[in-house]
Amino acid sequence: MPFSGFDVIIPVLVVLVLLLIFAGIKTVPQGFNYTVERFGGYTRTLTPGLNIIVPFIDRIGAKMNMMEQVLDVPTQEVITRDNAIVAVDGVAFYQVLTAAQAAYQVSGLQNAILNLTMTNIRSVMGSMDLDELLSNRDTINERLLRIVDDAASPWGIKMTRVEIKDINPPANLVESMARQMMAERNKRAQILEAEGLKQAQILEAEGRREAAFRDAEARERGAEAEARATQVVSEAIAAGDVQAVNYFVAQKYTEALATVGSAPNSKVVLMPMEASSLIGSLGGIGAIAREVFGDGSGQQPERPRTVSARPPRTGPVEG
């Protein structure tokens, strides 16, 4: 059976329709947005999933990655406020929020973000001293994020994080900083040692003061006891107690001999040999006391007889 011209045209038309349908169907993967341009002008944005455009009239413009992306900031030299040169590098994280703005508001999005970040790193870190630069990295990151995010917001992107990775001062500057740190540590050690010595001297002085106070208190108690003993002996003498007089005199005599005998530079001591001399002396003192104060019975004591006695013999006694 011969084919007519109509039989040929129908399959061709079917094929063309299928081609048009396939040309108008666009599948957008997850995490991406596609912009649609009609005769060169932006019309709409295709979201993830199945989308249909007009073939040969609409076309896909820019395929924008909507996921958060990382951008490595290369190393650059920064001059601080105190004229120190440091090498700095960092990293920036950003996310496209509006595909049309990111595609049509700036040319070369990543290059623009990179140059913007590097410029602001030099600006922010150049306004700080080296010590502030090394100790306030969190503050630097916060300032950089705020400045870069404000500058990049018209491009339809959000700067999520800007971090300084490394700050490398010159080798001679690092050596000077190490010497300064060592000197500071030595200074603190000397201060602590001086504080410890001061505290020890204070405690020692307080100990001496407490000991002196205790010694003075002991001497005061001894003086009070001595005064009390003297008062008791005086009262006993006034009452005519001869035994108290004998005890008091004998005690003082014995203490005097002990003191003389214990002296380190005393080698020879002269003292009476007869013990009766000491007893006679005590008896004489007792008789005088009875004569002065009486024996307590109201009668005058008998006057002692005068007895001549030979002087006591003395001899050297080895100390």
Side-chain angles (χ1 to χ4, degrees):
M1 179 178 179
F3 291 97
S4 63
F6 184 75
D7 292 334
V8 176
I9 294 174
I10 290 177
V12 173
L13 291 176
V14 171
V15 172
L16 290 176
V17 170
L18 292 176
L19 290 176
L20 289 175
I21 292 174
F22 281 110
I25 295 175
K26 297 297 181 181
T27 301
V28 180
Q30 185 65 38
F32 285 83
N33 280 355
Y34 292 173
T35 62
V36 178
E37 299 175 355
R38 179 171 295 177
F39 301 116
Y42 168 77
T43 57
R44 60 195 177 97
T45 301
L46 302 182
T47 57
L50 186 63
N51 297 271
I52 298 176
I53 62 174
V54 179
F56 306 110
I57 298 176
D58 295 339
R59 70 181 186 88
I60 301 299
K63 299 179 179 181
M64 302 304 300
N65 188 346
M66 306 300 292
M67 295 179 289
E68 186 173 0
Q69 302 177 64
V70 59
L71 187 62
D72 189 34
V73 180
T75 303
Q76 59 179 331
E77 290 186 349
V78 177
I79 302 177
T80 62
R81 187 170 57 185
D82 52 353
N83 296 324
I85 301 177
V86 295
V88 181
D89 61 354
V91 60
F93 295 83
Y94 71 95
Q95 184 177 11
V96 177
L97 300 180
T98 306
Q101 288 181 313
Y104 302 113
Q105 293 293 329
V106 62
S107 177
L109 178 62
Q110 288 192 349
N111 187 43
I113 296 175
L114 180 61
N115 283 276
L116 180 64
T117 304
M118 294 177 64
T119 302
N120 283 279
I121 285 176
R122 289 194 297 268
S123 176
V124 171
M125 300 182 71
S127 63
M128 304 174 67
D129 293 333
L130 180 61
D131 293 337
E132 297 177 351
L133 205 66
L134 297 176
S135 60
N136 296 326
R137 187 171 296 189
D138 292 338
T139 304
I140 297 172
N141 295 334
E142 181 182 355
R143 291 179 59 185
L144 283 174
L145 177 61
R146 185 176 64 254
I147 295 173
V148 176
D149 184 56
D150 291 341
S153 58
W155 302 339
I157 65 173
K158 172 67 178 177
M159 300 299 300
T160 58
R161 186 180 297 272
V162 177
E163 295 284 347
I164 299 299
K165 291 194 299 184
D166 292 321
I167 300 176
N168 299 318
N172 56 352
L173 187 59
V174 173
E175 184 180 356
S176 300
M177 292 170 62
R179 290 198 302 268
Q180 180 182 1
M181 181 185 64
M182 183 62 66
E184 186 67 24
R185 291 183 181 273
N186 292 334
K187 174 184 175 182
R188 288 201 297 265
Q190 292 175 358
I191 291 175
L192 290 176
E193 184 178 358
E195 288 290 338
L197 181 60
K198 174 184 175 182
Q199 190 66 23
Q201 292 177 350
I202 291 175
L203 293 177
E204 184 180 357
E206 289 180 353
R208 290 197 302 268
R209 184 183 67 178
E210 184 67 19
F213 176 76
R214 298 288 183 180
D215 292 341
E217 186 177 6
R219 289 195 299 271
E220 181 181 358
R221 296 292 184 270
E224 290 178 356
E226 185 70 20
R228 179 59 182 167
T230 305
Q231 181 182 1
V232 171
V233 172
S234 300
E235 292 177 354
I237 294 174
D241 190 356
V242 180
Q243 296 297 329
V245 177
N246 293 337
Y247 173 77
F248 185 74
V249 173
Q251 181 183 13
K252 294 300 181 182
Y253 188 79
T254 305
E255 290 177 357
L257 289 179
T259 303
V260 172
S262 62
N265 57 353
S266 298
K267 299 302 180 180
V268 178
V269 178
L270 299 178
M271 59 179 294
M273 295 298 295
E274 293 86 353
S276 60
S277 300
L278 176 58
I279 298 175
S281 300
L282 296 178
I285 295 173
I288 294 173
R290 286 194 298 272
E291 182 179 358
V292 174
F293 301 106
D295 57 358
S297 62
Q299 298 179 356
Q300 293 293 331
E302 183 181 359
R303 184 178 299 275
R305 293 176 298 175
T306 303
V307 180
S308 60
R310 64 178 181 176
R313 292 179 301 169
T314 61
V317 178
E318 293 299 330

